[in-house]
Amino acid sequence: MKNQSVRKNIDWITVLIYMLLVLIGWANIYSADSTPDTTYIFDITQNYGKQLIFIAFTVLLIVIILTVDAKFYERFSSIIYGVTLILLIGLFPFGKTIAGQRCWYAIGSFTLQPSEFAKSATALALAKYLSDSQVNLKNINHQLIALLIIIIPVGLIILQPDAGSALIFILMILVLNREGLPSWYLWTGFGAIVLFIMSLMLQPQYVILISLTGVIIHYLRSRLINRNIIASSVVFLLMAGFTISVDYVFENVFQQHHRDRFNILLGKEVDMAGIGYNTNQSEIAIGSGGWIGKGWLEGTQTKGNFVPEQHTDYIFTTVGEEWGFAGSALVVLLFAGLLLRVLYLAENQKTKFSRVYGYGVASILFTHYFVNISMVVGIFPTIGVPLPFLSYGGSSLWAFTILLFVFLKMDANKVNEW
């Protein structure tokens, strides 16, 4: 009876969008890796064959997720989070290093990346903590605990080092804001990003002058009763200090490849044969697709292997070249539809735990989607972030599937939560 209830109550619109994205992903992985001599799609020596195996295991994973009692995910969320942290810590003595990053456990030829699963585990732990009736995000101690739940896995992932995966956790602060975290946290973060970019583009004295002008305007526009010259002065001094520190952090904390990518993005360096090669080739591939694309399996950039990592982080370039603007727009609309659907379902949950987790799912998917596509089209620095459900890889596909279908299980169970 429970299985019949799940089949009846599961949100099939979300499931359909998920299936379409996975299918589109496989079709583009096949195109990126196949050759004129390819005749067998189940060739497990090739990435498209391996991806079919990953998809097959994903079906089994979905069945297990939907069979388990929805209360299990809430009851054991802290344990799941703890196990994930142990797996992240275990990478340092036991992990496999690939391209300078110690992010994977290797079992024969198969690799598993714990940071992908840490996202859903963190969303569960955050939902568990915030669903406590005693927790109030107006309280500074509760704010710190909630932020620590996010920061601990971020710190472990940065040490691998994997800045791309760590970045994904940042927008979970939107979940906290939805649950009562004061908005000044968001404005402070946004302001720091703007100041950082401005400080890389302009001389410090100009950025400080702009900051002073902004503080003065804000002070004058505030109501007379709310004006506080001391607070405004402190804010300005903090902004000036941050501005002055940017150059030191950029030159001494960032690694060389991070500096190169920011410089290329800001137009300070043009190294099309070196650090800027991936972005340049991806822009060429997408631009060459025109309105309707060159046709499936007909992409010259794709078949010429001009875009590195095209089956993983740069899979969207295959979509752009072979499916054109129409195909790219379809993928973007499918992602937008998925995000809006998850937000709609989250807002209609009957328990705070399910609602918070649903917003966590949306924030993680959105960050992946936004960063990956922005990176591919050249408006964001190149970092290793897969496109959900489309990029090649068992860890990412399974992790995103777990993330989404745990929420769909909760949603299907909400009729029993009165």
Side-chain angles (χ1 to χ4, degrees), residues 41-53:
I41 66 172
F42 297 102
D43 185 354
I44 61 172
T45 65
Q46 302 297 320
N47 290 323
Y48 52 81
K50 294 176 185 176
Q51 190 72 0
L52 282 177
I53 295 176

Side-chain angles (χ1 to χ4, degrees), residues 14-30 48 50-59 62 296 311 315 319 323 331 334-335 338 365 387-394 396-402 404-405:
T14 304
V15 174
L16 177 61
I17 296 174
Y18 165 84
M19 292 171 62
L20 287 172
L21 289 171
V22 172
L23 177 61
I24 291 171
W26 182 85
N28 283 278
I29 292 169
Y30 179 84
Y48 52 81
K50 294 176 185 176
Q51 190 72 0
L52 282 177
I53 295 176
F54 298 149
I55 292 172
F57 274 101
T58 299
V59 175
I62 291 171
W296 188 48
H311 60 295
I315 191 66
V319 177
W323 300 24
V331 171
L334 284 173
F335 270 115
L338 177 64
L365 290 177
L387 188 59
F389 311 120
L390 269 75
S391 292
Y392 167 82
S396 63
L397 178 60
W398 296 340
F400 288 128
T401 299
I402 292 171
L404 180 62
F405 276 85

